[in-house]
Amino acid sequence: MKEVDVVIVGAGFAGLSAAWELTKRKVNIAVIEAMDRVGGRVHSFQTKDAVTVDLGAQWIGRHQRRIRALAKEFGLPLVQTYTKGKTTYNLRGTIEKIEGEHPPLSSEGLSDLFQLKGKIERLVAELPEQDIWNSSLAKELDTYNLDAWIQTNMFTEEGRNFFRLFAEVMCVELSEPSALDFLWCVKTSGGFQRILTAEEEWFSEGSYTLALKMADAMKDHIYVSTPVNRIEYGKNGVLVFTEEQVWKAKKVIVAVPPAASGRIEYSPPLPAGRSMITEKINQSSVIKMILIYDKPFWREEGLNGHAQCDRGLIRLVADSSPIDGRKGVLTVLSGGRYAKELAQLEKQHRKETVLKEIGLLFGPKAEQPIEFYEKDWTEEPWIRGGYAAHFPPEIITSFGEWLYQPIGPIHWASTETADEWKFYMEGAIQSGERAAKEVLNRFT
């Protein structure tokens, strides 16, 4: 048996940020990670040509102060997302290349989008900052699934279809999460307009480098390839069991996705409300593909490398080329049912399907990358999805208080539990800092 003050289960950004806050305050910790690496839903590497490939979470925005502060603290430069030129749209079977921030919709469709944006801003302003599940407005919103809410609150099919494309970034069927789940995410991000700033920058060395640097600063306290299978808890503290080790601590922070936390055995059993939270949450599906070219040829053609599609199996494309332009990089995303359908294809067929759709957007050159990488996050046994998980109707207002309420010496962290920037890397970091603060307050 080993003894520390606090055990942290999980070494993603939630667990690492909790560990970092406690370490700075001289608290004796152990971070126990099931995977063979730190980082959780963040993973990057460099190709033989020193091109950074982000297979997991990648972008950040100007209003995400915690991750920006950590980037500065660990000396990691940020790159502005390339946006100069025309965006490519494949909507209603027609490919258009448009300059500016408005999609190629009719005046009625654009008007519909603008009125919904205004409605979202009004609703999130009315939702409470704390204990959202007690709000009468929240209870009403939680009765709708997101797709039904879109259908009810928009008046053109054109507008609905484009907004569904925007909402599909959640990477679940829009009939699965509640409208409250979506609006709560917007609320924690500071409003709809701030959500639109969430992908302004990325780490030139990859977001995984931040996780590695944080872990290296605490390397004597981090244990990878060590799944936790049981937690025993009581008024005198906790025992955390792995296959070969038992850890004794005053507190434990379980910093893994809610569904993963539910796969741990607890003694005594957790309250029914907490179990419902972990059982009912919907894991998202996402496949991220990276296509590397000799150069960003689309820029020469006046394109910014970004695309949005309501046809085919890829839905979003972004330019992630190195700042010096020595290689061209397109990041391609497929989520929800499209990712599930893509995952069913044999590997070579999947690649051919993606390249064919990319060719429709950017021409024949796009079908001939010099390198092709992909990552299906549902295949990660300790994660089972990305970017984050979402709640179906009537779960948040029925059991939401259990999402991050401590249970004895057990505290919870993950981007799903964040009070700010829920479902983003920033949210994971904020949740870890919150859990660390809870632990410190209980120590005193």
Side-chain angles (χ1 to χ4, degrees), residues 89-111:
Y89 296 90
N90 184 1
L91 305 178
R92 306 175 301 281
T94 300
I95 295 176
E96 297 184 65
K97 303 176 191 300
I98 303 294
E99 192 134 21
E101 53 186 47
H102 300 320
L105 303 182
S106 67
S107 58
E108 291 82 4
L110 286 174
S111 176

Side-chain angles (χ1 to χ4, degrees), residues 13-14 16-18 20-21 24-25 59-76 78 129-130 187-190 194 201 203 207 210-211 214 414-415 417-422 424-437:
F13 273 141
L16 291 173
S17 62
W20 188 236
E21 289 299 307
K24 288 190 291 187
R25 289 159 178 79
W59 291 279
I60 69 173
R62 76 188 84 158
H63 301 291
Q64 297 177 352
R65 58 186 177 86
R66 292 175 178 83
I67 195 166
R68 295 178 68 83
L70 285 170
K72 184 176 181 180
E73 184 174 359
F74 286 95
L76 294 175
L78 299 172
E129 298 286 344
Q130 302 293 327
K187 174 76 174 182
T188 64
S189 304
R194 283 199 174 186
E201 295 177 299
F203 291 87
S207 51
L210 176 58
M214 293 177 73
S414 72
T415 191
T417 73
D419 295 319
E420 298 178 37
W421 288 99
K422 187 186 295 289
Y424 291 85
M425 290 185 286
E426 175 77 3
I429 293 167
Q430 188 269 331
S431 75
E433 292 182 359
R434 186 211 71 238
K437 184 177 180 180

Side-chain angles (χ1 to χ4, degrees), residues 398-416:
S398 297
F399 306 104
E401 63 184 297
W402 294 101
L403 187 56
Y404 45 70
Q405 178 176 301
I407 299 172
I410 305 175
H411 299 255
W412 313 99
S414 72
T415 191
E416 291 86 355

Side-chain angles (χ1 to χ4, degrees), residues 35 37 40-41 170-172 256-263 281-287 339-340 375-390 416:
M35 299 172 69
R37 62 172 181 84
R41 288 172 272 193
M170 300 172 75
C171 295
V172 291
V256 298
S261 74
R263 294 196 290 269
I281 198 165
N282 290 319
Q283 288 293 102
S284 52
S285 300
V286 64
I287 299 177
K340 292 176 184 176
K375 178 68 174 179
D376 183 349
W377 282 92
T378 62
E379 293 181 346
E380 284 287 353
W382 300 106
I383 297 177
R384 303 282 178 87
Y387 316 107
H390 297 275
E416 291 86 355

